[in-house]
Amino acid sequence: MSDHDDLIALEQKRCAAIAEGDLALLSTMLRDDYLHVYGGGLSSGKDAWIDHISEVPRIPERVDLAVRVYGDTAVLTGKLINRIRPNANAQPAEAIGKRVPIKEDVQAFATQVAVREDGQWRFCSFQMTRCVD
């Protein structure tokens, strides 16, 4: 497989882990210094983002994903549809500005950075921007 194929497969695996609530698997795909920037501009680290995902489940779908590889660093860009499906007991979250999450389909554009260490690709950064209607 090429780096391009490996990275597409990693992103598909990441989306599936999120949709299935397999947060242990998701954790293995992220570096410990992972930074997640939400559509509203707030950010959190790996552990806080995974905690947020556990309370506010979603089904992510990537569209028109582009992959650019620069040695052991890769940049993935493309549309993202996040089908947010919060638990009944979801509380206001600092990660999203202390508001109670609602059921919604978020249209966004996302940029991710992955690095290859010891032959394995892992994500170190994710930034999304909500699309304007």
Side-chain angles (χ1 to χ4, degrees):
M1 281 180 101
S2 68
D3 288 336
H4 178 274
D5 293 339
D6 289 343
L7 288 155
I8 293 288
L10 180 63
E11 176 58 359
Q12 290 171 340
K13 185 176 174 183
R14 186 191 76 89
C15 289
I18 292 169
E20 295 164 9
D22 190 343
L23 305 180
L25 177 60
L26 177 63
S27 181
T28 67
M29 294 179 240
L30 310 176
R31 287 178 42 93
D32 287 341
D33 63 351
Y34 177 79
L35 176 68
H36 190 94
V37 181
Y38 299 85
L42 299 172
S43 63
S44 65
K46 175 181 175 178
D47 292 339
W49 182 67
I50 290 175
D51 286 346
H52 177 65
I53 294 294
S54 72
E55 186 169 302
V56 187
R58 66 210 54 221
I59 302 166
E61 177 186 342
R62 295 306 301 263
V63 180
D64 300 328
L65 187 62
V67 177
R68 293 172 287 155
V69 179
Y70 307 99
D72 289 331
T73 303
V75 178
L76 293 77
T77 56
K79 292 180 184 177
L80 168 70
I81 303 167
N82 255 340
R83 290 174 172 73
I84 309 295
R85 303 298 182 257
N87 295 328
N89 62 345
Q91 300 296 311
E94 285 196 36
I96 56 173
K98 293 190 176 182
R99 64 181 174 85
V100 176
I102 59 171
K103 180 179 176 179
E104 65 179 322
D105 291 349
V106 176
Q107 306 280 330
F109 187 89
T111 300
Q112 295 164 267
V113 179
V115 294
R116 179 174 35 210
E117 296 174 318
D118 300 322
Q120 180 178 355
W121 289 103
R122 293 192 319 166
F123 293 112
C124 63
S125 185
F126 180 99
Q127 190 276 327
M128 67 177 266
T129 303
R130 284 180 178 249
C131 295
V132 178
D133 291 336

Short mmCIF file of all heavy atoms in Angstrom, two decimals, residues 6 14 16 18 22-23 25-27 35 47 57 63 67-68 70 75 88 92 95-96 98 104 111 114 119 122 128 132:
data_model
loop_
_atom_site.label_atom_id
_atom_site.label_comp_id
_atom_site.label_asym_id
_atom_site.label_seq_id
_atom_site.Cartn_x
_atom_site.Cartn_y
_atom_site.Cartn_z
N ASP A 6 -2.61 4.23 2.94
CA ASP A 6 -2.53 4.00 4.38
C ASP A 6 -3.25 5.10 5.16
O ASP A 6 -3.95 4.83 6.14
CB ASP A 6 -1.07 3.94 4.85
CG ASP A 6 -0.35 2.68 4.41
OD1 ASP A 6 -1.01 1.70 4.01
OD2 ASP A 6 0.90 2.69 4.45
N ARG A 14 -10.55 5.73 11.82
CA ARG A 14 -10.84 6.73 12.85
C ARG A 14 -12.34 7.04 12.87
O ARG A 14 -12.97 7.05 13.92
CB ARG A 14 -10.03 8.01 12.60
CG ARG A 14 -10.16 9.06 13.69
CD ARG A 14 -9.56 10.39 13.25
NE ARG A 14 -10.44 11.08 12.32
CZ ARG A 14 -11.41 11.93 12.68
NH1 ARG A 14 -11.63 12.20 13.95
NH2 ARG A 14 -12.17 12.50 11.77
N ALA A 16 -14.80 5.20 11.75
CA ALA A 16 -15.55 4.02 12.21
C ALA A 16 -15.45 3.86 13.73
O ALA A 16 -16.44 3.55 14.39
CB ALA A 16 -15.03 2.77 11.50
N ILE A 18 -15.05 6.22 15.93
CA ILE A 18 -15.90 7.25 16.53
C ILE A 18 -17.37 6.83 16.44
O ILE A 18 -18.10 6.88 17.42
CB ILE A 18 -15.67 8.62 15.85
CG1 ILE A 18 -14.27 9.14 16.17
CG2 ILE A 18 -16.74 9.62 16.28
CD1 ILE A 18 -13.84 10.33 15.34
N ASP A 22 -15.79 3.13 19.82
CA ASP A 22 -14.60 2.37 20.21
C ASP A 22 -13.49 3.35 20.55
O ASP A 22 -12.57 3.59 19.76
CB ASP A 22 -14.19 1.41 19.10
CG ASP A 22 -13.12 0.42 19.55
OD1 ASP A 22 -12.48 0.66 20.60
OD2 ASP A 22 -12.92 -0.58 18.82
N LEU A 23 -13.59 3.93 21.74
CA LEU A 23 -12.68 4.99 22.13
C LEU A 23 -11.28 4.47 22.44
O LEU A 23 -10.30 5.21 22.29
CB LEU A 23 -13.26 5.77 23.29
CG LEU A 23 -14.67 6.33 23.01
CD1 LEU A 23 -15.19 7.09 24.21
CD2 LEU A 23 -14.70 7.17 21.76
N LEU A 25 -9.76 2.08 20.69
CA LEU A 25 -9.13 2.02 19.37
C LEU A 25 -8.81 3.43 18.88
O LEU A 25 -7.71 3.67 18.35
CB LEU A 25 -10.04 1.31 18.37
CG LEU A 25 -9.54 1.24 16.93
CD1 LEU A 25 -8.20 0.51 16.84
CD2 LEU A 25 -10.58 0.58 16.04
N LEU A 26 -9.74 4.35 19.05
CA LEU A 26 -9.51 5.73 18.64
C LEU A 26 -8.25 6.29 19.29
O LEU A 26 -7.43 6.93 18.64
CB LEU A 26 -10.72 6.59 19.00
CG LEU A 26 -10.62 8.08 18.70
CD1 LEU A 26 -10.47 8.32 17.21
CD2 LEU A 26 -11.84 8.80 19.25
N SER A 27 -8.08 6.02 20.56
CA SER A 27 -6.92 6.53 21.30
C SER A 27 -5.59 6.08 20.69
O SER A 27 -4.62 6.83 20.69
CB SER A 27 -7.00 6.08 22.76
OG SER A 27 -5.91 6.59 23.49
N LEU A 35 -3.95 17.61 19.36
CA LEU A 35 -4.70 18.84 19.60
C LEU A 35 -5.92 18.84 18.69
O LEU A 35 -5.79 18.67 17.47
CB LEU A 35 -3.84 20.07 19.31
CG LEU A 35 -4.57 21.41 19.42
CD1 LEU A 35 -4.95 21.68 20.89
CD2 LEU A 35 -3.72 22.53 18.87
N ASP A 47 -7.12 13.52 25.65
CA ASP A 47 -8.00 12.93 26.66
C ASP A 47 -9.33 13.67 26.78
O ASP A 47 -10.40 13.05 26.87
CB ASP A 47 -7.31 12.87 28.02
CG ASP A 47 -6.13 11.89 28.04
OD1 ASP A 47 -6.09 10.98 27.18
OD2 ASP A 47 -5.26 12.05 28.91
N PRO A 57 -21.82 11.37 21.28
CA PRO A 57 -21.50 10.50 20.15
C PRO A 57 -21.84 11.18 18.82
O PRO A 57 -22.70 12.06 18.75
CB PRO A 57 -22.39 9.28 20.37
CG PRO A 57 -22.75 9.31 21.81
CD PRO A 57 -22.78 10.75 22.18
N VAL A 63 -15.84 13.60 3.02
CA VAL A 63 -16.18 13.78 1.61
C VAL A 63 -15.02 14.47 0.93
O VAL A 63 -14.47 15.44 1.47
CB VAL A 63 -17.47 14.63 1.48
CG1 VAL A 63 -17.84 14.81 0.01
CG2 VAL A 63 -18.63 14.00 2.25
N VAL A 67 -5.14 14.00 0.35
CA VAL A 67 -3.99 13.64 1.17
C VAL A 67 -2.73 14.14 0.49
O VAL A 67 -2.50 13.87 -0.69
CB VAL A 67 -3.91 12.10 1.36
CG1 VAL A 67 -2.67 11.73 2.15
CG2 VAL A 67 -5.17 11.57 2.02
N ARG A 68 -1.92 14.87 1.26
CA ARG A 68 -0.61 15.32 0.78
C ARG A 68 0.44 14.82 1.77
O ARG A 68 0.31 15.04 2.98
CB ARG A 68 -0.56 16.83 0.67
CG ARG A 68 -1.49 17.35 -0.43
CD ARG A 68 -1.60 18.85 -0.44
NE ARG A 68 -2.42 19.24 0.71
CZ ARG A 68 -2.35 20.42 1.31
NH1 ARG A 68 -1.51 21.34 0.89
NH2 ARG A 68 -3.14 20.70 2.33
N TYR A 70 4.43 14.67 2.99
CA TYR A 70 5.72 15.36 2.98
C TYR A 70 6.67 14.58 3.87
O TYR A 70 6.82 14.89 5.05
CB TYR A 70 5.56 16.80 3.48
CG TYR A 70 4.49 17.58 2.75
CD1 TYR A 70 3.22 17.72 3.30
CD2 TYR A 70 4.75 18.15 1.51
CE1 TYR A 70 2.24 18.44 2.62
CE2 TYR A 70 3.77 18.87 0.84
CZ TYR A 70 2.52 19.01 1.40
OH TYR A 70 1.55 19.71 0.73
N VAL A 75 -0.79 15.86 5.48
CA VAL A 75 -1.90 16.77 5.70
C VAL A 75 -3.10 16.22 4.95
O VAL A 75 -3.02 15.94 3.76
CB VAL A 75 -1.56 18.20 5.21
CG1 VAL A 75 -2.75 19.13 5.41
CG2 VAL A 75 -0.32 18.73 5.93
N ALA A 88 -28.70 11.14 26.26
CA ALA A 88 -29.80 11.83 26.95
C ALA A 88 -29.30 12.65 28.13
O ALA A 88 -29.88 13.67 28.48
CB ALA A 88 -30.84 10.82 27.41
N PRO A 92 -23.54 20.42 29.54
CA PRO A 92 -22.78 21.46 28.85
C PRO A 92 -21.29 21.12 28.91
O PRO A 92 -20.79 20.69 29.93
CB PRO A 92 -23.09 22.72 29.66
CG PRO A 92 -24.41 22.44 30.30
CD PRO A 92 -24.39 20.96 30.58
N ALA A 95 -15.59 21.97 26.01
CA ALA A 95 -15.01 21.79 24.68
C ALA A 95 -15.80 22.50 23.60
O ALA A 95 -15.24 22.89 22.58
CB ALA A 95 -14.90 20.30 24.35
N ILE A 96 -17.09 22.67 23.82
CA ILE A 96 -17.91 23.33 22.80
C ILE A 96 -18.54 24.62 23.34
O ILE A 96 -19.61 25.03 22.92
CB ILE A 96 -18.98 22.39 22.22
CG1 ILE A 96 -19.88 21.82 23.31
CG2 ILE A 96 -18.34 21.30 21.40
CD1 ILE A 96 -21.06 21.01 22.80
N LYS A 98 -19.41 25.37 26.63
CA LYS A 98 -20.35 25.18 27.74
C LYS A 98 -21.80 25.24 27.31
O LYS A 98 -22.65 25.77 28.02
CB LYS A 98 -20.06 26.17 28.86
CG LYS A 98 -18.73 25.93 29.54
CD LYS A 98 -18.60 26.77 30.78
CE LYS A 98 -17.29 26.45 31.48
NZ LYS A 98 -17.11 27.18 32.71
N GLU A 104 -27.77 17.27 15.74
CA GLU A 104 -27.61 18.10 14.55
C GLU A 104 -26.61 17.45 13.60
O GLU A 104 -25.82 16.60 14.00
CB GLU A 104 -27.16 19.52 14.90
CG GLU A 104 -25.77 19.60 15.54
CD GLU A 104 -25.34 21.02 15.86
OE1 GLU A 104 -25.64 21.94 15.06
OE2 GLU A 104 -24.70 21.21 16.90
N THR A 111 -9.07 19.95 8.54
CA THR A 111 -7.66 19.76 8.21
C THR A 111 -7.05 18.93 9.33
O THR A 111 -7.22 19.25 10.51
CB THR A 111 -6.92 21.11 8.12
OG1 THR A 111 -7.53 21.89 7.09
CG2 THR A 111 -5.45 20.92 7.82
N ALA A 114 -0.98 14.24 10.28
CA ALA A 114 -0.53 12.94 10.78
C ALA A 114 0.98 12.87 10.67
O ALA A 114 1.57 13.49 9.77
CB ALA A 114 -1.17 11.80 9.99
N GLY A 119 7.23 3.65 11.60
CA GLY A 119 6.47 3.04 10.52
C GLY A 119 4.96 3.12 10.65
O GLY A 119 4.23 2.58 9.82
N ARG A 122 0.00 8.30 12.83
CA ARG A 122 -0.94 8.69 13.88
C ARG A 122 -1.23 10.18 13.73
O ARG A 122 -0.38 10.96 13.32
CB ARG A 122 -0.37 8.39 15.27
CG ARG A 122 -0.25 6.90 15.52
CD ARG A 122 0.03 6.56 16.94
NE ARG A 122 0.98 7.45 17.56
CZ ARG A 122 1.18 7.52 18.88
NH1 ARG A 122 0.51 6.74 19.67
NH2 ARG A 122 2.05 8.35 19.39
N MET A 128 -11.35 21.95 12.53
CA MET A 128 -12.52 22.01 11.65
C MET A 128 -13.12 23.41 11.68
O MET A 128 -13.04 24.12 12.68
CB MET A 128 -13.57 20.96 12.01
CG MET A 128 -14.26 21.14 13.34
SD MET A 128 -15.54 19.88 13.61
CE MET A 128 -16.97 20.76 13.01
N VAL A 132 -20.59 27.72 6.14
CA VAL A 132 -21.65 28.71 6.21
C VAL A 132 -22.71 28.34 5.19
O VAL A 132 -22.41 28.00 4.05
CB VAL A 132 -21.09 30.12 5.93
CG1 VAL A 132 -22.22 31.15 5.96
CG2 VAL A 132 -20.00 30.46 6.92
#
